[in-house]
Amino acid sequence: MQAKPADSFHVAALGRREAILILAAAAAMISIAMGIRQSLGLFQTPVSKDLGIKAADFAFAIAIQNIIWGVTQPFIGAVIDKFGPRTVALFGSSLYVVALAIAATATSGLAIMAGAGVLVGVALSCTTSAIGSNVAARVVLPTRRSLAFGIISAAGSIGTFFAAPIGQAVIQSGGWRMGFWVFLGLALLLFPAALIGGRAERISNATPRDASLTMKAALIEAGTHSGYVVMTLAYFVCGLQLVFLTTHLPSYLALCGLDPMLSAKALATIGLFNVFGSWAFGWLGDRYRKRTLLGMIYVLRSIALAVYFLLPASDTTTLVFAAIMGFLWLGVIPLVNGLVSEIFGIRYLATLTGIAFFSHQVGSFLGAWGGGAIFDALGSYDRAVQFGVITGLIAGLAQLLMNDRPLARMGGPSKPQPEPQGVPAAR
C-alpha cells in the first residue's frame, strides 16, 4: 500500500498513541546521543594529564568530531530522505558504541581522535537532528511542525542534564576510562529507540508539490535563495559559540580554581533550561516570524557571553550564565528546520538542513580547536570570547534581515509573517 503524502497526514492515520511513541523514541535517541556528546568536555583535563597530551590535542579531537559530523550530515541526510530513518539510525548506534569502546581503551591522542573524534562525528550524523527532523516532519501536521522540532531538540538537553553529572561523578570516583564505559552502556539504549523511531518511514515525505522534484533541482533552489544562504552562514556562529563552551568551560572553571563538579552542574543546567528554551522557541516558531526569533537568539547569546566573561567567575554567576545560555542553546534548531520546511517543503528537509548544519559544524570546529589553540598560545580564553561575541552580533543582525519568502511552488511569494504580537495559535 502506498504511503500517504505527508501534507495530508493527521496523527490518527498512524494512531495517536503510535505517533507519540515514534516521536518519543526519536527524542530518546537524540537525548542519549547528544547527552554523551555534550559531556565529552568533562574528559579533557583528566585525559590530557593521564595520556600526556596537550589541551589543544584533546580539543582538536572534539573539533574533528564536529567537522566530520558536519561534512557527513548532508550525505546522511540525503540517505534518510531517500530511504528512511531506521537503517541509518541503527548504523549510527553501532558506530557510537564502537567509538566509545575505542576511547575507553585509548593509550594515545590518536586513539582519542579516532574514537571521540572521527567515529563519534559520523555516529552523530546518524542519530541526532537529521533523524529527529525527518521523523517529526513525517508524523506531525505542518501547523505543528515547529513545536515538534522544538520538542525533539529539547530531548538532546534532557540527556545532558543526566549524562553530565553521571559522567563527572564516575570520572571522579573511577577515572575517565570508567566514565567512557558508563557512557557506552548508555549508548546501548540507542538501539531500541532507533527501531521504534524508524517506524516513521511508513509515512512518505513526498507531497504533490515535490513528488517529481530531483535532488539537483532542490539544491539549485536552495543555493539561489538568499535567505537560505544567509541562514546557513549565520549557523556557523551558533556552532562556534556552543562548542567553545561545551569544550572549554570545564577548563576555564578549573583555571578559576572552582570545584570541578561545577562544570557538570553548569552543563546540566544548560541541559535543563534548554528543555524549556527549545520547547518555547518551537512554540513561538509556529506563531511568529522565525527569522526574528533566530536573530534574537544570536544577539542575546552574544550579550550573555560578554557579560559572563567580564565578571569574576563564581558558582552563582556560572549557573546563572548556564541557565541563560541553556534557554537559548538549541532553540535555533526548530526555527531553522521550520524555515527550511516552510520555504522548500519537507521532501529534502534532512538534506537541506544537513547542508546548513555543515556550516554550523565548521563553526564548531573553530570553537573547539581554536579555543584550545588560543589558550595554549596566550594562556587565556579572552580573545576567543571576544571573537565569539562579535561574530554573534553580526550573525544576529544578518538573520533579522534575511529573506524568508517561500518558493512559488510552496505558495510564495507570500506576505511576511507578523512580528510577535498577533497570530493566534493553530489548533
Side-chain angles (χ1 to χ4, degrees):
M1 184 172 65
Q2 188 176 4
K4 296 184 178 182
D7 273 5
S8 66
F9 171 73
H10 293 265
V11 172
L14 272 180
R16 185 177 181 83
R17 184 174 299 177
E18 184 177 9
I20 291 173
L21 179 63
I22 289 171
L23 287 172
M29 183 169 57
I30 295 173
S31 180
I32 295 164
M34 289 296 291
I36 294 171
R37 177 257 180 183
Q38 292 187 174
S39 302
L40 292 180
L42 300 171
F43 292 84
Q44 177 168 292
T45 299
V47 169
S48 299
K49 289 181 178 178
D50 190 35
L51 298 184
I53 61 177
K54 295 179 180 179
D57 295 331
F58 185 92
F60 188 68
I62 302 300
I64 287 294
Q65 172 205 108
N66 283 284
I67 202 67
I68 291 292
W69 186 6
V71 168
T72 57
Q73 189 69 91
F75 302 101
I76 297 295
V79 174
I80 295 168
D81 284 334
K82 185 172 181 60
F83 299 107
R86 179 178 294 189
T87 301
V88 172
L90 289 172
F91 171 75
S93 301
S94 302
L95 206 57
Y96 218 139
V97 170
V98 171
L100 292 171
I102 291 173
T105 56
T107 57
S108 67
L110 185 61
I112 294 293
M113 175 80 70
V118 175
L119 295 183
V120 168
V122 179
L124 288 167
S125 285
C126 303
T127 55
T128 55
S129 59
I131 289 284
S133 62
N134 184 275
V135 168
R138 289 172 186 259
V139 303
V140 175
L141 287 167
T143 54
R144 292 289 189 162
R145 278 189 188 136
S146 185
L147 176 59
F149 293 148
I151 293 171
I152 290 287
S153 174
S157 289
I158 295 174
T160 305
F161 178 71
F162 292 105
I166 291 172
Q168 184 63 51
V170 174
I171 290 169
Q172 286 186 312
S173 62
W176 63 269
R177 294 186 188 277
M178 181 60 69
F180 274 122
W181 286 120
V182 169
F183 278 176
L184 186 151
L186 290 175
L188 293 175
L189 298 175
L190 290 169
F191 290 99
L195 287 170
I196 297 171
R199 295 179 190 173
E201 60 190 38
R202 290 161 49 189
I203 302 296
S204 174
N205 61 338
T207 73
R209 296 171 181 163
D210 52 28
S212 61
L213 184 68
T214 65
M215 175 74 72
K216 180 179 178 181
L219 294 177
I220 292 173
E221 285 181 343
T224 55
H225 192 285
S226 62
Y228 176 81
V229 174
V230 167
M231 183 183 69
T232 298
L233 293 175
Y235 219 3
F236 168 92
V237 178
C238 177
L240 182 143
Q241 291 179 333
L242 300 192
V243 175
F244 169 77
L245 285 176
T246 55
T247 305
H248 297 288
L249 184 60
S251 297
Y252 174 75
L253 294 177
L255 286 172
C256 295
L258 297 171
D259 184 353
M261 197 63 190
L262 179 61
S263 302
K265 290 178 181 177
L267 291 175
T269 301
I270 288 172
L272 176 63
F273 277 82
N274 186 41
V275 174
F276 304 112
S278 293
W279 176 85
F281 283 108
W283 183 84
L284 289 168
D286 281 332
R287 290 156 174 79
Y288 307 119
R289 199 160 192 165
K290 295 177 179 63
R291 76 176 193 188
T292 302
L293 297 170
L294 273 172
M296 288 169 53
I297 288 176
Y298 288 126
V299 170
L300 291 174
R301 270 193 202 158
S302 301
I303 293 172
L305 274 169
V307 171
Y308 173 69
F309 282 94
L310 284 172
L311 294 173
S314 68
D315 287 20
T316 300
T317 60
T318 298
L319 293 178
V320 170
F321 170 68
I324 294 170
M325 290 299 290
F327 189 78
L328 303 170
W329 198 258
L330 293 180
V332 295
I333 293 180
L335 299 174
V336 168
N337 289 348
L339 275 171
V340 171
S341 62
E342 280 183 5
I343 295 170
F344 304 104
I346 68 169
R347 178 68 182 87
Y348 293 104
L349 176 64
T351 305
L352 297 182
T353 55
I355 293 170
F357 189 71
F358 171 69
S359 174
H360 180 283
Q361 294 309 96
V362 173
S364 298
F365 176 90
L366 187 60
W369 173 75
I374 288 172
F375 176 77
D376 284 341
L378 303 177
S380 166
Y381 286 116
D382 290 349
R383 290 291 180 267
V385 172
Q386 291 166 6
F387 182 77
V389 170
I390 292 170
T391 55
L393 294 173
I394 294 171
L397 178 61
Q399 194 69 74
L400 286 168
L401 299 175
M402 74 165 279
N403 167 25
D404 58 356
R405 292 190 301 273
L407 297 177
R409 65 175 173 80
M410 295 295 297
S414 62
K415 295 181 181 179
Q417 298 176 29
E419 298 296 337
Q421 66 218 30
V423 179
R427 294 183 181 273

